[in-house]
Amino acid sequence: MTVTTGTTAVTGAVGTAHTRVEGRDKVTGAARYAGEIPFADLAHGWLVLSTVARGRVRAVETGPVLAMPGVLAVLHHGNAPRVESEYMGPLGPPDPILQVFQHDRVPHFNWPVALVVAETSEQAREAAEALTVQYDEEPHDVAFSADHPGLYTPGEIMGQAPDTEKGDLEERLAASAVVVDERYTTPEEHHNPMEPHAATACWDGGRLEVVDSNQGSTLVAQELAHLFSLDAKSVRVRSEHVGGGFGSKAVRPHQVAAVMAATMLHRPVRVVLTRRQMFSLVGYRSPTEQHIRLGADADGRLLALDHQAFSLTSTFREFVEFSGGVSRVMYDAEAHRTAHRLVRLDMPTPSWMRAPGEAPGSFAMESAVDELAERCGIDPIELRVRNEPAAGPVSGLPFATRRVLDCFEKGARRFGWADRDPRPGVRRDGRWLLGTG
């Protein structure tokens, strides 16, 4: 798009090549990430995580650690600043994991129980590893399965009902010439950006300054202002570069802990998560089990579609992997049902991860559609063409735009789809099986 103002032509970003403003700095190593920006009088915090999956903290033995070289403080539930727990933030009520060091409860393994602050990162890590924390351990449940006795129907999922249904599913399945009835599982998946989560907090004349690696500085500033009962105008969050995030770099315990420590010590404090700590503190994608039943007539046209999605959430915050959502827009049938079921486990809360719901949901549904095509003896693309909906299968609303069939046509042409051998397992390159998909 080109806009002419007076005698000057302004070329828009869409469809025009532009040099990334930070590209040279990143490829030459000149870019400074959140854990690398220098501060005068900088102290370093190291999180201590629980070693039990459920229970209470009975004692934090700070004495020996405070006597170690360079150690400045040990924050825990007995001495940490208080934060707000009842407010409506930019993304809804606060995640309870942000209530860092506010109580002695441990709801899952690797829950933050203390922060050791020292003059150097090495001193903080050594002291954190030496800190003794005593627990009253309780029985825990971390085993996810689609037949767990604690399964329940969640509330709204991003403003949508957990279940949808139209038509008589069992009657349409019984009337189908071909039926697919399969279960698909996906493992949990974890965010692992190149740059771990890092934040430095300091006070400057009554203003909270945070240098952070995040995917939304305004949201982080608003959340911190709510947590610490600050005027939003007195909180400034700066994120110069982000070395990856996948949805995980929002407000997490390390930023809150850094602000607490900076408030207590009256000096800048940096907290950087280790790769291991990220597996329990920054969200992840829940494992799923998905039960899909498809019924079609002899020509491969769907008569029945049933997509039941099972996932886990924590005991203290509900999060649903919206796997069935993809089936609400991709395929229609006379009888159509999607359903979501959750089980609360003593696990960290899952969270947003790239393509939330769509990633595991489309894997299961499209695998089932491929199974249906094979059983019907119909080309998988042709079967999808025959089942292209004219409107939203659940909503009934017209599509603003939908280019799925165009994508199939273009992809088939580029991949040589028509000339492939459709039989599975017949093309090899040494020990490798070759396919076209």
Side-chain angles (χ1 to χ4, degrees), residues 408-429:
F408 283 147
E409 188 277 329
K410 191 172 185 178
R413 186 174 65 252
R414 289 190 172 188
F415 282 101
W417 185 259
D419 298 327
R420 82 193 193 288
D421 188 333
R423 295 174 300 164
V426 297
R427 295 170 56 203
R428 288 183 173 271
D429 180 3

Side-chain angles (χ1 to χ4, degrees), residues 285 290 320-326 353-362:
R285 195 194 307 279
Q290 298 172 69
V320 185
E321 188 68 24
F322 192 30
S323 302
V326 67
M353 191 169 184
R354 190 65 54 82
E358 286 90 347
S362 61

